[in-house]
Amino acid sequence: MRPIRPTDAARRKRSARRKLSPVLAAASLATVLALTATACGPTEDDAGGEPSSSTGQSSDGKIKIPDDLKDRLKEHGIDLDQWKNGEWKNWDKDKWLREAKDYVNPIIEDLWDPDRMRDADKSPEKPVDNDISGDDGVTDPTPAAVSATPVATPYHDNAPESGKLLFDGPDGSMVCSATVVKDPAHPGKSNMVWTAGHCVHAGKKGGWYRNIAFVPAYNNSGMSVAELETASKEQIAPYGVWWGQWAQTSEQWIAQGASVGGQGAPYDFAVLHVTPEKGSTGKSLEETVGSALPVDFNAPAVPEIAGMTATGYPAAPPFDGQKALQCKDKPGRLSVFKADPTMYRIGCTMTGGSSGGGWVAAGQDGKPALVSNTSIGPVTAGWLAGPRLGAEAKGVFDSVSKKFAGQ
């Protein structure tokens, strides 16, 4: 994702990143910029253990790190007692955890202050997917660009499930977009958030990003960059900052995901279980924002979908990352690699920073449901592609839900 208020140095960095943008190695496809960030977690088989054997939650709602995980991390030379004092900034290869079981994200209270939230400006890598019956291996003509339109303010009244995802990587603070989704284990009280795999995990050449936090209805009133410079944390994050207590992405993204070439994009999705930064208030994320979307893991094939709406916080020029925007279009099909599942594709001018944002369409019951997320798009910013959510995505989702079902 790109920064909110870029400095001259940041602009030069962004220019360099655009020149190095990824290329999709698929016939008749243009050069493509990977818009997503990575977030990997356990698979249904290896990540469905009890929370007590992984990151848990204390009675005050704060993240608690169990002794067995502390011991595993110390094997990597990581002492959690030093983490909050700046050790998290150590990105030595041996200390960048990449295995699903080693996800850890201790809350550092007020780390995401107004300045850090506003200035987070980098955009991560790529995507993940599943199969579309009858659409295998098909790429439709490139869609016409659809201009992104501002979400009406206050965002909470018009896209209450949407928000911004903040996290730190080796090159600095980064941003993506994300969506509050329903949790079958906690009806009406979900603490689950959907985003792209590349927004939590760097893929095959990296590991878990750090200080991952979700801000629902970020900049709810749509303040300008100038107004945000003097805005309070409560104005920027009116529904609080929610830290990623647990994250999970597909095995394919962890093993194959890359920031160039579209590798792993059909499996570029992730699920977070979050907890409030300031400790539990007794209200879940869903209760706090007043809404959550169901996830449809059996969405219709492209010919049966009248339209999809993608929402996100694009941060690369001409956008500044501070405003929520949307694109609505009838989807087409995109086959990145012949052996991989076909992805959805829509016309849209949103840029990096919109990665991970939810795509909403009518589900099997005809009601709005999350059916995909932004994963990749071209350097020219004329379209976006996202994975179809099938069995692999459902396995990730169910695993996170079951992990916290008893809490």
Side-chain angles (χ1 to χ4, degrees):
M1 304 300 181
R2 298 291 189 266
I4 291 171
R5 289 180 60 250
T7 61
D8 289 341
R11 289 191 187 97
R12 286 195 294 271
K13 286 182 182 177
R14 278 204 290 273
S15 177
R17 282 198 295 274
R18 286 196 295 272
K19 292 176 183 176
L20 294 174
S21 296
V23 178
L24 276 186
S28 76
L29 291 185
T31 300
V32 196
L33 170 62
L35 299 177
T36 52
T38 45
C40 301
T43 62
E44 189 167 10
D45 292 335
D46 65 8
E50 294 301 315
S52 60
S53 64
S54 61
T55 305
Q57 187 172 15
S58 61
S59 59
D60 65 357
K62 297 296 182 69
I63 292 180
K64 181 177 64 176
I65 309 301
D67 291 340
D68 62 337
L69 181 52
K70 285 184 179 180
D71 291 341
R72 282 208 305 273
L73 296 179
K74 284 183 178 180
E75 291 176 5
H76 294 274
I78 294 174
D79 185 342
L80 285 175
D81 293 334
Q82 300 174 9
W83 189 268
K84 294 182 181 180
N85 292 324
E87 176 62 19
W88 66 265
K89 298 176 184 177
N90 185 346
W91 293 95
D92 290 350
K93 185 177 181 181
D94 292 339
K95 294 190 177 184
W96 193 1
L97 304 178
R98 65 170 279 105
E99 301 302 323
K101 69 180 190 301
D102 289 338
Y103 173 83
V104 64
N105 194 45
I107 291 174
I108 303 177
E109 198 164 305
D110 294 323
L111 174 69
W112 291 110
D113 60 20
D115 288 341
R116 281 193 104 233
M117 285 195 284
R118 188 186 64 242
D119 294 337
D121 67 346
K122 296 177 178 64
S123 174
E125 347 280 12
K126 294 193 176 180
V128 187
D129 143 276
N130 273 70
D131 220 345
I132 302 176
S133 178
D135 289 347
D136 309 48
V138 176
T139 292
D140 291 322
T142 301
V146 172
S147 296
T149 58
V151 174
T153 57
Y155 299 149
H156 179 260
D157 290 350
N158 298 288
E161 306 89 359
S162 298
K164 179 180 282 194
L165 195 70
L166 305 165
F167 51 100
D168 284 300
D171 297 324
S173 299
M174 297 190 282
V175 292
C176 274
S177 301
T179 307
V180 184
V181 293
K182 291 185 177 296
D183 179 359
H186 296 283
K189 298 182 177 182
S190 175
N191 283 309
M192 292 174 65
V193 172
W194 192 280
T195 189
H198 74 257
C199 296
V200 296
H201 193 286
K204 65 182 179 180
K205 292 186 178 180
W208 292 101
Y209 290 119
R210 299 171 182 172
N211 305 322
I212 300 172
F214 175 64
V215 183
Y218 173 88
N219 188 19
N220 190 41
S221 61
M223 290 180 284
S224 68
V225 171
E227 291 171 325
L228 285 167
E229 289 181 347
T230 57
S232 67
K233 187 171 183 177
E234 289 69 27
Q235 289 175 303
I236 295 176
Y239 298 94
V241 176
W242 297 70
W243 283 64
Q245 181 177 10
W246 185 255
Q248 187 163 333
T249 187
S250 67
E251 287 186 336
Q252 290 91 336
W253 174 256
I254 294 176
Q256 306 169 13
S259 60
V260 297
Q263 297 175 48
Y267 302 92
D268 187 19
F269 42 77
V271 178
L272 291 164
H273 192 278
V274 299
T275 192
E277 178 178 87
K278 300 295 184 181
S280 177
T281 62
K283 294 179 70 174
S284 65
L285 174 61
E286 181 176 2
E287 291 171 302
T288 300
V289 303
S291 187
L293 284 169
V295 183
D296 192 331
F297 296 103
N298 190 28
V302 162
E304 301 170 29
I305 301 175
M308 283 183 175
T309 299
T311 303
Y313 283 81
F319 307 106
D320 59 21
Q322 307 309 311
K323 308 282 181 63
L325 289 96
Q326 292 181 326
C327 289
K328 183 174 182 179
D329 193 18
K330 180 174 176 56
R333 296 162 291 188
L334 174 65
S335 179
V336 182
F337 299 108
K338 189 174 182 180
D340 286 345
T342 301
M343 301 175 71
Y344 290 131
R345 181 164 63 161
I346 61 172
C348 185
T349 59
M350 285 198 292
T351 58
S354 62
S355 287
W359 291 24
V360 178
Q364 294 293 324
D365 61 0
K367 297 179 180 179
L370 186 142
V371 297
S372 187
N373 58 262
T374 297
S375 177
I376 55 174
V379 175
T380 51
W383 55 263
L384 298 175
R388 179 178 183 270
L389 308 179
E392 179 69 29
K394 188 175 189 302
V396 170
F397 177 86
D398 288 348
S399 181
V400 176
S401 177
K402 290 175 183 176
K403 178 176 278 293
F404 295 90
Q407 294 189 15

